[in-house]
Short mmCIF file of all heavy atoms in Angstrom, two decimals:
data_model
loop_
_atom_site.label_atom_id
_atom_site.label_comp_id
_atom_site.label_asym_id
_atom_site.label_seq_id
_atom_site.Cartn_x
_atom_site.Cartn_y
_atom_site.Cartn_z
N MET H 49 5.55 -4.20 -9.26
CA MET H 49 5.14 -3.71 -7.95
C MET H 49 4.39 -2.37 -8.09
O MET H 49 4.70 -1.58 -8.97
CB MET H 49 6.33 -3.49 -7.04
CG MET H 49 7.07 -4.77 -6.72
SD MET H 49 6.13 -5.85 -5.64
CE MET H 49 7.33 -7.13 -5.36
N PHE H 50 3.45 -2.14 -7.19
CA PHE H 50 2.66 -0.92 -7.20
C PHE H 50 2.63 -0.33 -5.79
O PHE H 50 2.77 -1.07 -4.79
CB PHE H 50 1.23 -1.20 -7.64
CG PHE H 50 1.14 -1.81 -9.01
CD1 PHE H 50 1.21 -3.20 -9.15
CD2 PHE H 50 0.93 -1.04 -10.11
CE1 PHE H 50 1.11 -3.80 -10.38
CE2 PHE H 50 0.83 -1.61 -11.38
CZ PHE H 50 0.92 -3.00 -11.53
N ILE H 51 2.42 0.98 -5.68
CA ILE H 51 2.27 1.59 -4.36
C ILE H 51 0.90 2.25 -4.32
O ILE H 51 0.46 2.93 -5.26
CB ILE H 51 3.36 2.66 -4.11
CG1 ILE H 51 4.68 1.91 -3.73
CG2 ILE H 51 2.98 3.59 -2.96
CD1 ILE H 51 5.81 2.81 -3.40
N GLY H 52 0.19 1.99 -3.22
CA GLY H 52 -1.11 2.59 -3.01
C GLY H 52 -1.09 3.51 -1.82
O GLY H 52 -0.44 3.21 -0.80
N VAL H 53 -1.77 4.64 -1.94
CA VAL H 53 -1.86 5.64 -0.84
C VAL H 53 -3.31 5.89 -0.54
O VAL H 53 -4.10 6.22 -1.42
CB VAL H 53 -1.16 6.96 -1.24
CG1 VAL H 53 -1.27 7.96 -0.09
CG2 VAL H 53 0.31 6.74 -1.59
N ASP H 54 -3.66 5.74 0.74
CA ASP H 54 -5.00 6.01 1.22
C ASP H 54 -4.95 7.30 2.01
O ASP H 54 -4.50 7.35 3.16
CB ASP H 54 -5.48 4.85 2.10
CG ASP H 54 -6.93 5.01 2.57
OD1 ASP H 54 -7.59 5.99 2.15
OD2 ASP H 54 -7.40 4.15 3.36
N LEU H 55 -5.36 8.38 1.35
CA LEU H 55 -5.28 9.72 1.95
C LEU H 55 -6.55 10.05 2.69
O LEU H 55 -7.61 10.21 2.10
CB LEU H 55 -5.02 10.75 0.85
CG LEU H 55 -5.00 12.23 1.27
CD1 LEU H 55 -3.94 12.49 2.32
CD2 LEU H 55 -4.80 13.13 0.04
N GLY H 56 -6.47 10.14 4.00
CA GLY H 56 -7.64 10.44 4.83
C GLY H 56 -7.44 11.70 5.61
O GLY H 56 -6.38 12.29 5.67
N GLY H 57 -8.53 12.16 6.25
CA GLY H 57 -8.46 13.37 7.05
C GLY H 57 -7.68 13.21 8.33
O GLY H 57 -7.16 14.18 8.87
N THR H 58 -7.54 11.96 8.80
CA THR H 58 -6.78 11.72 10.05
C THR H 58 -5.41 11.11 9.79
O THR H 58 -4.41 11.57 10.38
CB THR H 58 -7.59 10.73 10.94
OG1 THR H 58 -8.88 11.28 11.20
CG2 THR H 58 -6.87 10.51 12.26
N ASN H 59 -5.34 10.12 8.90
CA ASN H 59 -4.08 9.48 8.59
C ASN H 59 -3.84 9.33 7.12
O ASN H 59 -4.78 9.30 6.33
CB ASN H 59 -4.04 8.05 9.25
CG ASN H 59 -4.02 8.13 10.75
OD1 ASN H 59 -3.14 8.69 11.36
ND2 ASN H 59 -5.02 7.50 11.37
N ILE H 60 -2.57 9.22 6.78
CA ILE H 60 -2.15 8.84 5.42
C ILE H 60 -1.55 7.45 5.51
O ILE H 60 -0.55 7.26 6.23
CB ILE H 60 -1.13 9.81 4.82
CG1 ILE H 60 -1.58 11.24 4.89
CG2 ILE H 60 -0.77 9.41 3.40
CD1 ILE H 60 -0.48 12.24 4.60
N ALA H 61 -2.18 6.48 4.85
CA ALA H 61 -1.67 5.11 4.87
C ALA H 61 -1.17 4.77 3.48
O ALA H 61 -1.79 5.16 2.49
CB ALA H 61 -2.74 4.14 5.33
N ALA H 62 -0.08 4.04 3.41
CA ALA H 62 0.45 3.67 2.09
C ALA H 62 1.09 2.31 2.19
O ALA H 62 1.48 1.85 3.28
CB ALA H 62 1.47 4.70 1.61
N GLY H 63 1.18 1.65 1.02
CA GLY H 63 1.75 0.31 1.06
C GLY H 63 2.26 -0.14 -0.30
O GLY H 63 1.90 0.42 -1.36
N LEU H 64 3.12 -1.15 -0.26
CA LEU H 64 3.63 -1.81 -1.46
C LEU H 64 2.77 -3.01 -1.75
O LEU H 64 2.52 -3.86 -0.89
CB LEU H 64 5.09 -2.25 -1.21
CG LEU H 64 5.82 -2.87 -2.42
CD1 LEU H 64 6.05 -1.87 -3.53
CD2 LEU H 64 7.14 -3.50 -1.98
N VAL H 65 2.25 -3.11 -2.98
CA VAL H 65 1.30 -4.14 -3.39
C VAL H 65 1.78 -4.83 -4.67
O VAL H 65 2.30 -4.17 -5.57
CB VAL H 65 -0.09 -3.48 -3.64
CG1 VAL H 65 -1.12 -4.57 -4.06
CG2 VAL H 65 -0.57 -2.77 -2.40
N ASP H 66 1.65 -6.14 -4.70
CA ASP H 66 2.07 -6.86 -5.92
C ASP H 66 0.95 -6.84 -6.95
O ASP H 66 -0.14 -6.35 -6.71
CB ASP H 66 2.56 -8.25 -5.61
CG ASP H 66 1.46 -9.23 -5.16
OD1 ASP H 66 0.25 -8.92 -5.33
OD2 ASP H 66 1.82 -10.29 -4.59
N ALA H 67 1.21 -7.45 -8.12
CA ALA H 67 0.26 -7.41 -9.23
C ALA H 67 -1.02 -8.17 -8.97
O ALA H 67 -2.00 -8.02 -9.68
CB ALA H 67 0.92 -7.94 -10.48
N TYR H 68 -1.02 -9.02 -7.90
CA TYR H 68 -2.20 -9.81 -7.55
C TYR H 68 -3.02 -9.17 -6.43
O TYR H 68 -3.96 -9.74 -5.93
CB TYR H 68 -1.76 -11.21 -7.14
CG TYR H 68 -0.99 -11.94 -8.21
CD1 TYR H 68 0.41 -11.99 -8.17
CD2 TYR H 68 -1.62 -12.53 -9.29
CE1 TYR H 68 1.14 -12.64 -9.18
CE2 TYR H 68 -0.90 -13.16 -10.30
CZ TYR H 68 0.48 -13.21 -10.22
OH TYR H 68 1.18 -13.86 -11.22
N GLY H 69 -2.64 -7.96 -6.03
CA GLY H 69 -3.37 -7.28 -5.02
C GLY H 69 -2.98 -7.66 -3.57
O GLY H 69 -3.73 -7.38 -2.64
N LYS H 70 -1.81 -8.27 -3.40
CA LYS H 70 -1.35 -8.65 -2.09
C LYS H 70 -0.55 -7.51 -1.48
O LYS H 70 0.40 -7.03 -2.07
CB LYS H 70 -0.50 -9.94 -2.13
CG LYS H 70 -0.05 -10.39 -0.76
CD LYS H 70 0.77 -11.68 -0.87
CE LYS H 70 1.25 -12.14 0.52
NZ LYS H 70 2.07 -13.37 0.45
N LEU H 71 -0.94 -7.10 -0.28
CA LEU H 71 -0.24 -6.03 0.44
C LEU H 71 1.02 -6.60 1.09
O LEU H 71 0.96 -7.48 1.94
CB LEU H 71 -1.16 -5.42 1.49
CG LEU H 71 -0.60 -4.28 2.34
CD1 LEU H 71 -0.19 -3.09 1.44
CD2 LEU H 71 -1.64 -3.79 3.35
N LEU H 72 2.18 -6.10 0.67
CA LEU H 72 3.45 -6.66 1.11
C LEU H 72 4.06 -5.87 2.28
O LEU H 72 4.73 -6.45 3.12
CB LEU H 72 4.46 -6.65 -0.05
CG LEU H 72 4.01 -7.43 -1.30
CD1 LEU H 72 5.01 -7.22 -2.43
CD2 LEU H 72 3.80 -8.89 -1.01
N HIS H 73 3.86 -4.59 2.29
CA HIS H 73 4.42 -3.74 3.36
C HIS H 73 3.63 -2.46 3.44
O HIS H 73 3.26 -1.90 2.38
CB HIS H 73 5.90 -3.43 3.06
CG HIS H 73 6.53 -2.61 4.15
ND1 HIS H 73 7.01 -3.15 5.31
CD2 HIS H 73 6.75 -1.26 4.24
CE1 HIS H 73 7.51 -2.19 6.08
NE2 HIS H 73 7.36 -1.05 5.43
N ASN H 74 3.32 -1.97 4.60
CA ASN H 74 2.57 -0.73 4.75
C ASN H 74 3.03 0.09 5.93
O ASN H 74 3.57 -0.42 6.91
CB ASN H 74 1.06 -1.00 4.84
CG ASN H 74 0.66 -1.81 6.04
OD1 ASN H 74 1.02 -2.98 6.15
ND2 ASN H 74 -0.05 -1.14 6.95
N GLU H 75 2.79 1.39 5.81
CA GLU H 75 3.15 2.37 6.86
C GLU H 75 2.04 3.41 6.90
O GLU H 75 1.29 3.60 5.93
CB GLU H 75 4.48 3.05 6.51
CG GLU H 75 5.68 2.14 6.37
CD GLU H 75 6.32 1.78 7.70
OE1 GLU H 75 6.00 2.44 8.69
OE2 GLU H 75 7.16 0.83 7.70
#
């Protein structure tokens, strides 16, 4: 499992992603 974070000027979005690039959960 991997975690990705999209850091923007307005919002910070993050999610749990599997090895195939499928987004499993995000906040």
Side-chain angles (χ1 to χ4, degrees):
M49 296 290 185
F50 302 86
I51 284 181
V53 179
D54 185 4
L55 176 59
T58 303
N59 293 301
I60 305 168
L64 183 68
V65 180
D66 69 17
Y68 302 99
K70 182 179 180 181
L71 181 59
L72 304 174
H73 181 82
N74 63 292
E75 302 276 346

